[in-house]
Amino acid sequence: MENRQYIEKINKLRKEKNAVILAHNYQRPEIQDIADFAGDSLELSIKAAQTKDKIIVFCGVLFMAETAKVLSPSKTVLLPDLNAGCPMADMINESDVKKLKSEHENAKVLCYVNSSAVVKAQADLCCTSSNAAKIVEYAFDKKQEIIFIPDKYLARVVAEKTGRKFIFWDGFCPTHSRILPEEINALKTKFPDAVTMVHPECTKEICDIADEILSTGQMSVFAKKSSTKTFIIGTEEGMLHRLQKENPEKKFILASKNATCPNMKKITLEKLANSLETLSPEIVLDSEIIKKAEKSIRDMVEISKKIMY
Ligand code: 13P
Ligand code: SF4
C-alpha cells in the first residue's frame, strides 16, 4: 500500500473509533502531519490528561504512552510499535531508585518523564526538559537535596540554573550524545550569523557552545519569535520538520547527521493504520503502579499549568 492509501485508512478509522492521535516532535514528518497534535513531552502529557476521546494513539516511545495511560487510565492507549522504547529510560530501574532513596533519606526524587511508570511510582515529582528548572524552584525548598533521575546531562543544566544540590544518576540519551562539538563548531564557522539551539539532553561540551538550551517545544517558540534567519539545531532530526513547517522563510540546519533516534522512527503510517484497525498494541499497566505514578505526574501537570503558560 502507498502512503496515500494508509492516510485514507487512518482518517476513516480515527473518525469511526473516536481516536485522538498524539505525536512527539521527533516522529517521522508524515506521522507529525497526520496527528491531531504534535508537541513536546509536557504538551503531550497535558493533551493526554485533557482529551475526551476514548482512544489515544500515541506516536512516540513507550514512556510517553505509559504517561498517557497513567493520566487517563480508563482510556485505551495504543502505541503502534511496542518495541519503541527509550534507552535512557531503561538505564534506571525500581531497585536502583529504592537504593538511592535509602542512601539519601532526606532527599526528594525528581524524575525526568523519560523513565518507566514503575520508576515514576518511586518518585516525589516528575518533570520534563521544558519545566525542570521551574518545577525545582516552585516545588522544593532551597535547602532540599534532590535526587535527579535518570538524565545526568539535564540534571547538570538544571542544577546549574537553580543552584540546588543534586544527586545525579548516570543516565543519558545515546542519540543526543552522538552530537559532537566539532560538528557544531564547523557549522558555526560556515554560518556565523546562525543561532545554535540545543536540547538539554546534549553533553556539557555541546551545551557550553550553544546559544540556547531548550526543550523541543521551547525551540519552536524561540524560532518563531526570533528575528534570526538561520539556526543550527542540536537535537533529534525529526524536530527540523516542525521548525521548517512553522517557519518556511527561515533555515534550519541539523547539528549532526547522527542525531536520529531509531526508536522514534519505529512508528510508521502502516503501523499507525494497523493499530487503529486492531486497537493494539495496547498499554497495560498494573493498577498499583498507576496509582503510585499518578501523583508525581499529575502534580507536575498541575504545577506546570500554573507556572508555565
Ligand atoms: P522534549 O520534552 O523536549 O520534547 O524532549 C523529549 C525527549 O527527550 C525525547 O528524547
Ligand atoms: Fe530516548 Fe533519546 Fe530517543 Fe528521546 S531521543 S526517546 S531520550 S533515546
Side-chain angles (χ1 to χ4, degrees), residues 5-221:
Q5 291 164 301
Y6 284 122
I7 291 169
E8 275 170 24
K9 189 172 171 183
I10 291 164
N11 285 335
K12 183 169 165 281
L13 288 167
R14 77 204 302 181
K15 267 197 216 120
E16 273 173 26
K17 308 218 173 178
N18 275 334
V20 66
I21 302 172
L22 303 181
H24 187 263
N25 289 326
Y26 296 161
Q27 288 290 292
R28 293 168 186 269
E30 61 274 21
I31 298 288
Q32 293 189 37
D33 289 345
I34 204 163
D36 293 286
F37 182 80
D40 72 8
S41 306
L42 178 61
E43 292 163 339
L44 292 171
S45 301
I46 293 173
K47 284 278 169 201
Q50 284 171 343
T51 185
K52 300 233 169 356
D53 298 283
K54 289 208 170 62
I55 297 169
I56 300 173
V57 192
F58 211 108
C59 299
V61 290
L62 182 61
F63 75 78
M64 296 177 175
E66 280 191 348
T67 302
K69 181 69 185 174
V70 169
L71 288 168
S72 296
S74 62
K75 295 191 178 139
T76 301
V77 178
L78 306 172
L79 178 64
D81 185 336
L82 270 189
N83 292 317
C86 167
M88 182 207 286
D90 295 338
M91 287 177 191
I92 190 159
N93 61 31
E94 185 185 24
S95 56
D96 295 326
V97 193
K98 284 185 171 163
K99 185 161 179 282
L100 278 167
K101 291 205 298 195
S102 70
E103 287 165 355
H104 306 276
E105 281 180 347
N106 296 322
K108 296 274 188 205
V109 178
L110 180 58
C111 183
Y112 188 28
V113 286
N114 298 30
S115 53
S116 68
V118 177
V119 163
K120 289 185 182 88
Q122 291 295 322
D124 292 292
L125 194 55
C126 285
C127 68
T128 72
S129 56
S130 62
N131 63 17
K134 286 188 174 165
I135 288 262
V136 165
E137 275 158 0
Y138 180 90
F140 300 123
D141 184 79
K142 277 200 167 68
K143 292 211 177 81
Q144 179 64 56
E145 261 194 312
I146 297 164
I147 300 171
F148 192 103
I149 52 172
D151 186 6
K152 63 178 171 187
Y153 293 123
L154 174 62
R156 189 199 62 81
V157 170
V158 180
E160 204 163 276
K161 209 168 185 174
T162 59
R164 305 300 177 88
K165 183 162 176 357
F166 273 31
I167 294 142
F168 296 81
W169 183 254
D170 192 19
F172 63 93
C173 164
T175 298
H176 285 87
S177 302
R178 284 194 291 273
I179 303 173
L180 302 174
E182 47 271 33
E183 294 178 293
I184 294 194
N185 284 330
L187 289 169
K188 278 171 162 261
T189 307
K190 198 165 168 198
F191 301 98
D193 297 330
V195 166
T196 302
M197 303 196 277
V198 306
H199 197 276
E201 286 176 15
C202 290
T203 61
K204 176 173 168 20
E205 291 72 23
I206 296 294
C207 291
D208 284 351
I209 55 172
D211 299 301
E212 302 290 337
I213 305 172
L214 302 167
S215 74
T216 62
Q218 289 168 336
M219 284 183 190
S220 158
V221 173

